[in-house]
């Protein structure tokens, strides 16, 4: 486990967690490789600061417009330990233009009425769409490297990452800013398939089964040497050290064994940890 004390940059932002796929350089096309090479020496903390500074800048514009305006897309760099004393350098493009489009679409589906136009005006949506290259947008949409979740980590993500995986803890002034777990994508796919097989036999009605099928299909499009990272974000300060990966695993194993008592106990532990956090989304 690696711990990094760093200046605070998470506390003023909502609880957003991320699931990111990092690929080797040769998994990208020539133009993407050039963009990566320009950013490959930048540290992770600096990248996070740049992203959050840009987010604040977009939010405080005089005219409401949360979309990026032709900015250089950021690239995160992961130094993943391959073996004793050796690390692999892998890359995750931010794909902000595509992800903001998807976020605006999701917002329009969840909020009805004039409030949508206040938050994301139609003129801003149209201008953003005009700036996008259709081919590049389609490619990024087909291979989206980042998923996000607000006010908690989806339980399906804990099937993919385990507590014994490579762990990085980022701290500041006694607070846990974030925790990042990472593991090879192929290993994560195997975990998802094994859990899906167990659930298909024991509890085919669970929504978790559909979630795992979607996650597996998503991961299968990436390079076999890719690495998956779960970035808790600021919610880590409320839950770390976190037993959620083992609780999800024990719950699935209990269901597969017909142990309803064990499954219920695992769910109660998860619920007691995460339901209060999800209720913060409705707090005033």
């Amino acid at each position: 486990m690696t711990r990094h004390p760093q200046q605070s940059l998470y506390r003023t932002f909502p609880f957003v967690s991320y699931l990111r796929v990092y690929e080797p350089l040769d998994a990208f096309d020539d133009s993407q490789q050039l963009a990566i090479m320009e950013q490959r020496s930048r540290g992770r903390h600096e990248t996070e600061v740049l992203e959050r500074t840009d987010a604040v800048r977009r939010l405080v514009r005089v005219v409401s417009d949360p979309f990026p305006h032709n900015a250089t897309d950021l690239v995160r760099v992961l130094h993943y330990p391959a073996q004793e004393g050796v690390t692999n350098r892998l890359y995750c493009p931010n794909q902000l233009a595509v992800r903001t489009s998807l976020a605006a679409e999701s917002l329009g589906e969840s909020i009805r009425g004039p409030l949508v136009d206040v938050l994301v005006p139609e003129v801003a949506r149209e201008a953003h769409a005009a700036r996008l290259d259709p081919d590049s947008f389609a490619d990024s949409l087909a291979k989206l490297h980042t998923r996000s979740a607000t006010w908690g980590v989806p339980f399906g993500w804990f099937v993919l990452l385990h507590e014994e995986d490579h762990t990085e803890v980022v701290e500041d002034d006694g607070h846990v800013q974030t925790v990042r777990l990472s593991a090879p994508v192929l290993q994560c796919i195997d975990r998802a398939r094994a859990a899906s097989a167990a659930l298909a036999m024991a509890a085919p009605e669970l929504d978790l089964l559909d979630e795992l099928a979607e996650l597996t299909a998503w991961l299968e499009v990436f390079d076999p040497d890719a690495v998956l990272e779960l970035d808790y974000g600021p919610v880590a300060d409320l839950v770390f050290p976190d037993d959620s990966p083992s609780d999800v695993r024990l719950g699935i194993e209990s269901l597969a064994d017909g142990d309803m008592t064990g499954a219920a106990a695992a769910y109660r532990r998860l619920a007691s940890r995460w339901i209060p956090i999800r209720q913060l989304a409705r707090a005033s």
Side-chain angles (χ1 to χ4, degrees):
M1 180 183 296
T2 305
R3 291 180 176 265
H4 297 290
Q6 295 182 349
Q7 295 179 346
S8 176
L9 51 85
Y10 291 91
R11 294 185 201 172
T12 58
F13 287 83
F15 287 172
V16 183
S17 303
Y18 298 94
L19 200 59
R20 299 188 179 101
V21 176
Y22 292 78
E23 295 188 283
L25 186 63
D26 60 11
F28 299 92
D29 63 31
D30 291 345
S31 62
Q32 291 174 315
Q33 289 188 29
L34 288 174
I36 289 171
M37 294 299 289
E38 293 174 355
Q39 302 185 49
R40 66 183 301 177
S41 63
R42 187 177 58 234
R44 180 66 177 267
H45 178 69
E46 184 181 352
T47 299
E48 303 297 343
V49 170
L50 287 171
E51 181 179 57
R52 283 157 178 77
T53 301
D54 180 63
V56 171
R57 187 182 299 114
R58 298 197 312 273
L59 290 173
V60 299
R61 285 173 179 155
V62 175
V63 178
S64 181
D65 182 355
F67 296 102
H69 289 188
N70 301 315
T72 300
D73 197 40
L74 295 174
V75 176
R76 284 176 173 79
V77 182
L78 176 68
H79 299 271
Y80 187 76
Q83 55 190 14
E84 189 68 29
V86 178
T87 60
N88 287 336
R89 196 182 310 198
L90 303 124
Y91 308 93
C92 177
N94 206 25
Q95 299 171 300
L96 183 62
V98 176
R99 293 196 297 113
T100 52
S101 296
L102 296 175
E105 182 179 331
S106 176
L107 184 67
E109 293 173 352
S110 60
I111 300 178
R112 302 296 180 182
L115 181 58
V116 176
D117 285 331
V118 172
L119 297 174
V120 190
E122 183 176 354
V123 64
R125 297 197 298 270
E126 292 175 349
H128 178 63
R131 289 190 295 267
L132 294 174
D133 175 75
D135 292 335
S136 176
F137 181 87
D139 290 343
S140 294
L141 197 59
K143 199 175 184 182
L144 197 64
H145 286 71
T146 302
R147 291 183 169 222
S148 61
T150 54
W151 305 108
V153 179
F155 291 165
W157 294 10
F158 292 125
V159 173
L160 307 175
L161 282 304
H162 291 181
E163 66 279 0
E164 71 271 12
D165 290 333
H166 178 68
T167 303
E168 179 185 11
V169 181
V170 181
E171 299 176 295
D172 171 61
D173 192 26
H175 292 273
V176 177
Q177 300 297 299
T178 188
V179 174
R180 302 183 185 119
L181 306 178
S182 53
V185 157
L186 291 181
Q187 184 177 33
C188 297
I189 291 174
D190 287 344
R191 291 168 175 174
R193 287 174 175 166
S196 296
L199 289 174
M201 294 293 293
E205 73 283 356
L206 287 184
D207 292 340
L208 181 57
L209 191 57
D210 292 334
E211 182 182 352
L212 290 176
E214 182 182 349
L215 287 170
T216 301
W218 172 58
L219 292 176
E220 286 175 337
V221 306
F222 294 101
D223 189 275
D225 293 324
V227 169
L228 182 67
E229 175 192 82
L230 166 57
D231 185 343
Y232 276 69
V235 75
D237 195 42
L238 301 182
V239 298
F240 188 78
D242 180 30
D243 293 326
S244 296
S246 60
D247 283 336
V248 169
R249 190 164 63 253
L250 287 171
I252 293 173
E253 290 173 355
S254 295
L255 285 173
D257 293 338
D259 178 8
M260 297 300 106
T261 300
Y267 178 77
R268 281 196 298 271
R269 292 192 296 271
L270 287 164
S272 66
R273 189 178 304 124
W274 291 104
I275 287 179
I277 293 172
R278 288 169 181 163
Q279 287 174 338
L280 292 175
R282 297 186 292 274
S284 59

